[in-house]
Amino acid sequence: MSFSDFSFKVYHFSQLESTNIHARNLIHAKSAKDGDLFISAYQSNGKGQIKSTWQSEPGKNLLFSLVLEPNIQIQHQFFISMAVANSLRELIQQLTNMACELKWPNDLILNGYKIGGILIENHFSKGLITHCIVGVGLNVNQVDFPADLKLASSLARETNKTYRLSTVMESWKPVFARYYTLIKARKWQKIKQIYHDNLFLKGRLARFEDTEGEFEAEVQGVNDQGYLLLKRSSGIKEYELKQVRFIAKA
Amino acid sequence: MKISEIQELIKFVSKSGVSEVEIEDKDFKINIKTPPFKRGKQSAQQDQQQPMVAQVIPAQQMAAMPQQMPATMPPAQAAPAPASNPAAETAKKEESKEEENNYIEVKSPMIGTFYRKPAPDKAEFVKVGDTISEGDTVCVIEAMKLFNEIESEVSGKIVKVLVDDSTPVEYDQALFLVEPA
């Protein structure tokens, strides 16, 4: 598949329960294709991680789900996550002229605040990822956030500018298409290299917590499965998302 | 061979107690099988309503069929066959293996967290006693914010759920026991 073969087909909705759920239903009905993109001005039940939902004011943010048919092996699933994160990071940098970083595994960080998240659902058959739903929530023009979301912000709040959502969307498409080409061409290490180049705290010391307590470690990067590699006094250790908690920069 | 002759042949085979007859001529091949219960070997796994099977294969199609396995034959009818048929041999072996271990395990293809529901406020994908088809989603396994819908590779009935909701699972860990349909 070459760069020009991939095309987006965009479907707009004023309100959906969740664009990811909509995409999932269409995949189950076998009527979703590579490049189908569902965008909603508002999600009544936007998905975060399984226990969290995404807080968003209607019409202010970019909320969409993209269907992909990557046909890659399950052990390469984290490369999709990294490719999407890379593309959004590049987009934000392009729009704001500010450095945007990726906080493991795939949070978008601008000025130390989280301005977007990615949630990916894979459907696979016999070890191959046949369909992938890439759910993206990017805070664009929302300025007020609930008090309990201290670390949440938006492009507008960090730059004192407002953005046309359609422009943000259109700017993202060619950037993502370029990363999708890397996935299709199995350029795994290239994707990981770009991810590492922009990984929050990479090569630096930070405080973390695991089941045995707090510790200080240097962020080494991720392995191919997406585990965080932390260099501790005892050696390099791999962590799954639920096995470790970031506390603060050292 | 005329239809009436084939009918005669089927009648003859069914009365004879022979399990399978195969006749091959210049331009046709006929394969007649009797279900096991007709031969007094009653098996609980076999459908009692299973009809006697006759397969007539035109000669020109035969070349395309490896191991004399008629392509139109449903798998459930493939088991009883003479030992000289290598394909049926394999089927027989698989069947006896299934009898030893009646249940099939649905295993985790990855390390992650096992979820029985698509969302906390939604119903479970499957419960004990549910009938599932191949391709049905049975659970979600999440790792690093990647949610993987796990599909069953077998059809059957859920006999047991082996892992608690929202708990970690290892690669290849058994998640469900399924009684195959």
Side-chain angles (χ1 to χ4, degrees):
Chain A
M1 178 169 183
S2 70
F3 173 61
S4 56
D5 287 338
F6 183 68
S7 63
F8 293 90
K9 191 161 184 199
V10 181
Y11 299 85
H12 285 270
F13 298 88
S14 57
Q15 179 174 345
L16 276 180
E17 185 188 5
S18 140
T19 52
N20 263 40
I21 292 172
H22 183 74
R24 186 202 298 157
N25 291 342
L26 290 178
I27 287 173
H28 285 168
K30 305 207 185 307
S31 56
K33 285 190 209 67
D34 197 42
D36 281 357
L37 194 153
F38 307 99
I39 183 162
S40 185
Y42 180 67
Q43 298 191 37
S44 55
N45 187 17
K47 263 189 100 177
Q49 280 192 71
I50 253 168
K51 281 174 187 138
S52 61
T53 51
W54 186 255
Q55 308 277 338
S56 181
E57 282 180 29
K60 297 272 176 93
N61 301 323
L62 200 57
L63 312 165
F64 65 87
S65 295
L66 171 67
V67 173
L68 300 175
E69 294 177 322
N71 287 311
I72 60 171
Q73 290 182 311
I74 190 165
Q75 65 260 37
H76 293 129
Q77 60 175 316
F78 194 67
F79 291 98
I80 297 178
S81 175
M82 286 195 278
V84 175
N86 286 345
S87 70
L88 289 164
R89 191 210 63 81
E90 221 176 288
L91 167 78
I92 292 159
Q93 202 148 301
Q94 190 181 306
L95 292 170
T96 63
N97 281 317
M98 287 163 69
C100 175
E101 285 184 299
L102 298 172
K103 183 165 167 267
W104 176 75
N106 55 18
D107 283 347
L108 295 153
I109 305 292
L110 193 64
N111 280 344
Y113 291 95
K114 178 175 170 175
I115 57 160
I118 300 160
L119 188 147
I120 295 175
E121 286 180 51
N122 292 321
H123 297 245
F124 57 93
S125 178
K126 291 160 186 78
L128 276 190
I129 301 176
T130 55
H131 290 87
C132 180
I133 304 169
V134 177
V136 172
L138 180 63
N139 295 341
V140 180
N141 294 322
Q142 180 168 353
V143 182
D144 299 315
F145 289 90
D148 58 322
L149 294 176
K150 286 193 186 70
L151 290 173
S153 190
S154 64
L155 295 182
R157 199 154 100 161
E158 297 309 312
T159 62
N160 291 317
K161 279 191 246 174
T162 55
Y163 299 82
R164 279 175 64 101
L165 294 181
S166 57
T167 309
V168 176
M169 182 80 245
E170 288 307 310
S171 310
W172 178 71
K173 286 179 179 177
V175 182
F176 177 73
R178 181 154 39 80
Y179 280 103
Y180 196 41
T181 308
L182 292 179
I183 290 174
K184 289 288 189 174
R186 315 289 195 259
K187 303 274 189 206
W188 310 128
Q189 296 316 310
K190 171 97 176 158
I191 294 168
K192 190 157 101 174
Q193 180 62 51
I194 299 169
Y195 178 85
H196 275 164
D197 287 347
N198 299 286
L199 183 62
F200 176 62
L201 292 176
K202 169 106 173 18
R204 293 173 57 190
L205 282 174
R207 290 201 66 74
F208 294 91
E209 187 180 14
D210 67 9
T211 49
E212 285 154 25
E214 281 191 33
F215 63 92
E216 201 171 86
E218 185 192 308
V219 178
Q220 293 267 299
V222 296
N223 69 11
D224 287 356
Q225 284 69 48
Y227 286 61
L228 184 66
L229 304 175
L230 295 179
K231 190 176 171 186
R232 304 180 60 166
S233 48
S234 53
I236 293 174
K237 231 187 137 191
E238 299 176 355
Y239 287 95
E240 207 273 323
L241 185 57
K242 289 182 179 63
Q243 297 172 331
V244 68
R245 190 175 73 85
F246 166 70
I247 299 171
K249 292 180 194 178
Chain B
M1 204 172 193
K2 285 191 227 124
I3 292 285
S4 59
E5 288 177 290
I6 295 173
Q7 281 170 339
E8 272 307 305
L9 190 61
I10 289 173
K11 262 186 215 158
F12 174 73
V13 171
S14 70
K15 280 181 191 151
S16 71
V18 175
S19 67
E20 176 168 316
V21 170
E22 194 173 290
I23 298 165
E24 202 171 329
D25 204 330
K26 192 161 96 267
D27 55 356
F28 77 94
K29 175 178 156 186
I30 182 162
N31 181 314
I32 300 173
K33 289 184 186 182
T34 55
F37 67 91
K38 288 262 183 185
R39 306 194 303 270
K41 258 176 35 182
Q42 204 147 324
S43 154
Q45 281 201 326
Q46 292 291 333
D47 184 359
Q48 301 290 307
Q49 303 305 311
Q50 192 177 28
M52 196 153 72
V53 186
Q55 290 277 342
V56 181
I57 309 160
Q60 53 269 43
Q61 274 181 30
M62 272 165 56
M65 283 180 204
Q67 300 177 317
Q68 304 182 344
M69 279 290 277
T72 51
M73 187 189 262
Q77 295 165 346
S84 60
N85 185 332
E89 265 290 80
T90 317
K92 212 179 202 171
K93 270 183 199 152
E94 275 166 14
E95 192 193 42
S96 62
K97 202 173 139 198
E98 250 174 50
E99 275 168 8
E100 282 163 25
N101 183 10
N102 248 330
Y103 300 146
I104 293 174
E105 291 174 337
V106 176
K107 291 178 175 179
S108 175
M110 56 183 281
I111 300 171
T113 306
F114 171 82
Y115 291 108
R116 292 189 57 192
K117 302 169 180 181
D121 57 338
K122 296 264 166 28
E124 287 156 343
F125 290 108
V126 290
K127 315 185 285 299
V128 169
D130 283 0
T131 303
I132 55 164
S133 303
E134 187 184 336
D136 283 357
T137 301
V138 289
C139 64
V140 163
I141 296 178
E142 187 245 318
M144 253 78 69
K145 289 195 216 172
L146 290 148
F147 293 81
N148 294 279
E149 288 210 358
I150 309 300
E151 292 180 357
S152 176
E153 287 179 11
V154 290
S155 298
K157 199 166 94 182
I158 301 278
V159 174
K160 201 169 180 191
V161 182
L162 303 163
V163 183
D164 289 335
D165 190 30
S166 305
T167 57
V169 289
E170 295 297 321
Y171 172 74
D172 226 23
Q173 185 175 338
L175 306 172
F176 298 94
L177 278 186
V178 177
E179 184 184 342

